[in-house]
Amino acid sequence: MKLLIMGAPGAGKGTQASALAARYDVPAISTGDIFRANIKNGTPLGVKVKEIIEAGEYVPDELTEEIVADRLAQDDAAGGFLLDGFPRTMHQVHFLDRHLADRGERLDAVVSLVVDPDVLVERLLDRARIEGRADDNEDTIRRRMEVYAGQTAPLLYHYEKLDLLVEVEGTGTVDEVRERMLDAVDRHTAAR
Ligand code: AMP
């Protein structure tokens, strides 16, 4: 299975990605987690992306794509993967399309978690209190929402046209959303 999970900041991508990856026995690959690990360890990549991420902006496409290409080349991703937080721009969509086409592969489904914007801001402020993520302060949250709406939301149309989009209502408890999502993906992939 080759899957994507998309959603605005705070939609619950990271949380639900683990369940989805476990269900299909594929690695969950989060570009955000890769960047955060590099920042924490002070690697050259981390130094390069720290300020960008803390400002709520996107890391440049070429840099992000290089990281994804390296990660997808690892053995555990040979049989499938779940990308969490990639692609986020049309440039990245084209990169992924080419990457898969070169290997004669294609995506199976693109999950989009849909959550009301007011709920999103509340969740992110809660997460800021609990996890202390540097990009979870109010100004950055607002900026991340804008960037998502401008650059990433349009990607949903692209995947809808390809009949890959599985929209899942992301409000409710973590368990409710997980069951709803797994059912929806099962139904989508069974129907293909
Ligand atoms: P996330 O954990 O997915 O919310 O990502 C956290 C931050 O990492 C984002 O707000 C971006 O600054 C950066 N980031 C993660 N994935 C990407 C991507 N595909 N393209 C550009 N920037 C990204």
Side-chain angles (χ1 to χ4, degrees), residues 31-42:
T31 41
D33 281 352
I34 295 173
F35 290 138
R36 278 185 290 278
N38 278 274
I39 292 172
K40 194 165 156 225
N41 296 327

Side-chain angles (χ1 to χ4, degrees), residues 9-171:
K13 273 184 302 126
T15 306
Q16 299 299 344
S18 319
L20 194 53
R23 162 73 138 242
Y24 294 106
D25 197 21
V26 292
I29 300 173
S30 156
T31 41
D33 281 352
I34 295 173
F35 290 138
R36 278 185 290 278
N38 278 274
I39 292 172
K40 194 165 156 225
N41 296 327
T43 68
L45 171 66
V47 171
K48 222 184 272 182
V49 301
K50 184 171 191 288
E51 280 183 21
I52 301 173
I53 291 179
E54 288 180 2
E57 304 295 336
Y58 283 171
V59 173
D61 287 329
E62 281 79 4
L63 185 55
T64 307
E65 290 161 7
E66 201 180 305
I67 282 150
V68 170
D70 284 351
R71 183 62 188 85
L72 291 181
Q74 291 175 25
D75 288 349
D76 65 336
F81 52 78
L82 167 65
L83 284 170
D84 160 8
F86 184 96
R88 263 178 155 100
T89 64
M90 252 353 253
H91 194 281
Q92 295 177 12
V93 167
H94 295 313
F95 161 85
L96 184 62
D97 283 349
R98 266 196 316 276
H99 177 93
L100 294 170
D102 285 350
R103 289 159 185 75
E105 295 171 349
R106 48 193 308 215
L107 290 172
D108 293 290
V110 177
V111 175
S112 166
L113 292 176
V114 184
V115 178
D116 183 87
D118 290 341
V119 176
L120 292 176
V121 175
E122 242 169 72
R123 281 191 189 174
L124 288 167
L125 291 172
D126 277 349
R127 187 166 78 186
R129 279 188 289 270
I130 297 162
E131 293 178 21
R133 247 176 76 160
D135 59 351
D136 276 347
N137 65 75
E138 208 162 340
D139 283 347
T140 308
I141 288 171
R142 204 166 302 124
R143 181 64 193 144
R144 283 161 61 213
M145 295 288 185
E146 281 172 13
V147 176
Y148 180 84
Q151 303 219 44
T152 304
L155 274 49
L156 299 175
Y157 296 109
H158 173 80
Y159 289 121
E160 188 176 20
K161 276 186 278 168
L162 297 174
D163 198 20
L164 287 171
L165 192 64
V166 181
E167 283 193 303
V168 179
E169 171 63 48
T171 356

